[in-house]
Amino acid sequence: MIEPAPDSPEWFEYQYNPRITVPDAATILPEWRSRAMQTREKHPPLGDIKYGPHPRENLDLFRAANARATVVYIHGGYWRMLSKLETSWVAEHFVEKGISVALMNYPLCPDVPLHQIRKSVQHAFAYLWHHVLTKDESRSIVVTGHSAGGHLAALHLATDWTAYNLPHNPIAGVVSLSGVFDVAPLINTSMNADLRLTIESSAALNLCAMPLKCNAPLLLAVGADEPHAFHQQSHDLAKAWSAVKPEVVSLVSTNHYTIVDRLAAPDGDVHSYVCAIAGQGRAG
């Protein structure tokens, strides 16, 4: 497909809507659901743990035997679709390596605005820490997320966790896959029919304009086959949050969807990175 003229409505859609640039996008979600079902049968989770009053404020915990750390995974879907169920397969090989995995659900747009989703995810992390994880599981937590979930994962480094009765740095590291951190460009896409962003609201949600509150490693991974805008988003956040020396990586032969496999596969480079960070423990 020929890339549309810069800054045209078609350009924004091309840059930010992966269903346009990934030829087999329609087949991916059914495959994810099948893989998720197999993982849930193999490793039944503690399911639908409520962390708030909204029907979607719940999480699953895939608890590893003698767990030494926890990976938190936040699903994508542009804050308007999907759930923890489609990506349960992310948990399998971490659990088999002694790392528990928590998968978060959160309310979706347009039922709630994006700023409320962010508050839900922050509350979910605090609830997980205080009421669900064992001491060993909370000793080292790596927060990960894909696409919209990549934004929500990075948000954990811009959160004052002492306000939630947590340590100043409760996180060992954050890994964002194909994250969108400045949401203003989405105003020009079809997704905004549900997101309902305005210039004013998007400015208040821009992570690149927010100060860091935690000092933990940050990996910003993008598929090499993704449009330029996704790469620019990660580079912009890395520049804004240079104090934690973020690492930006472009993963060869990877698109907006297959990047999740680099986190889930036992021999995946992102998977190995997460395991290494989890083994180091949190900053304090």
Side-chain angles (χ1 to χ4, degrees), residues 68-253:
R68 56 185 172 81
T70 301
V71 168
V72 174
Y73 181 80
I74 309 173
H75 71 83
Y78 269 121
W79 305 278
R80 64 194 186 116
M81 60 182 292
L82 302 184
S83 72
K84 57 185 169 59
L85 297 178
E86 289 87 357
T87 46
S88 298
W89 51 274
V90 169
E92 182 168 345
H93 295 292
F94 286 115
V95 171
E96 292 170 355
K97 292 180 179 179
I99 300 174
S100 294
V101 179
L103 273 72
M104 291 183 184
N105 264 1
Y106 49 84
L108 299 176
C109 299
D111 182 39
V112 302
L114 181 47
H115 71 84
Q116 185 174 328
I117 294 173
R118 300 199 336 170
K119 289 180 180 178
S120 287
V121 168
Q122 290 167 321
H123 182 63
F125 182 86
Y127 187 90
L128 185 70
W129 174 284
H130 286 299
H131 302 290
V132 182
L133 299 183
T134 66
K135 184 177 180 180
D136 286 339
E137 286 174 324
S138 64
R139 194 182 309 277
S140 183
I141 304 176
V142 180
V143 182
T144 68
H146 170 236
S147 195
H151 175 113
L152 297 171
L155 173 68
H156 285 64
L157 294 183
T159 300
D160 177 7
W161 292 112
T162 63
Y164 292 84
N165 256 346
L166 269 63
H168 179 68
N169 283 327
I171 296 165
V174 169
V175 174
S176 174
L177 308 175
S178 305
V180 178
F181 312 107
D182 177 4
V183 298
L186 302 180
I187 294 174
N188 303 293
T189 69
S190 61
M191 285 79 81
N192 204 41
D194 289 331
L195 300 179
R196 300 179 182 178
L197 295 167
T198 65
I199 294 174
E200 293 76 16
S201 67
S202 63
L205 296 165
N206 183 2
L207 286 181
C208 298
M210 293 183 181
L212 283 163
K213 298 294 180 65
C214 294
N215 181 21
L218 172 61
L219 176 67
L220 301 166
V222 187
D225 296 340
E226 297 194 70
H228 171 75
F230 280 99
H231 294 264
Q232 191 63 52
Q233 287 272 348
S234 285
H235 282 287
D236 288 347
L237 186 67
K239 182 178 180 180
W241 287 1
S242 59
V244 294
K245 299 179 180 178
E247 183 179 358
V248 181
V249 295
S250 177
L251 303 178
V252 178
S253 301

Side-chain angles (χ1 to χ4, degrees), residues 9-89:
E10 294 79 14
W11 182 86
F12 283 102
E13 198 73 16
Y14 175 90
Q15 291 291 324
Y16 285 100
N17 189 344
R19 291 174 181 263
I20 292 176
T21 54
V22 179
D24 60 346
T27 68
I28 291 171
L29 288 183
E31 179 189 350
W32 280 9
R33 292 187 184 101
S34 176
R35 294 168 67 183
M37 186 178 299
Q38 293 173 25
T39 295
R40 296 176 77 84
E41 290 174 353
K42 187 176 182 180
H43 300 287
L46 300 173
D48 294 329
I49 301 168
K50 292 290 294 179
Y51 66 82
H54 191 280
R56 281 186 57 97
E57 288 184 317
N58 56 68
L59 56 87
D60 289 348
L61 179 67
F62 291 79
R63 175 157 277 155
N66 302 311
R68 56 185 172 81
T70 301
V71 168
V72 174
Y73 181 80
I74 309 173
H75 71 83
Y78 269 121
W79 305 278
R80 64 194 186 116
M81 60 182 292
L82 302 184
S83 72
K84 57 185 169 59
L85 297 178
E86 289 87 357
T87 46
S88 298
W89 51 274

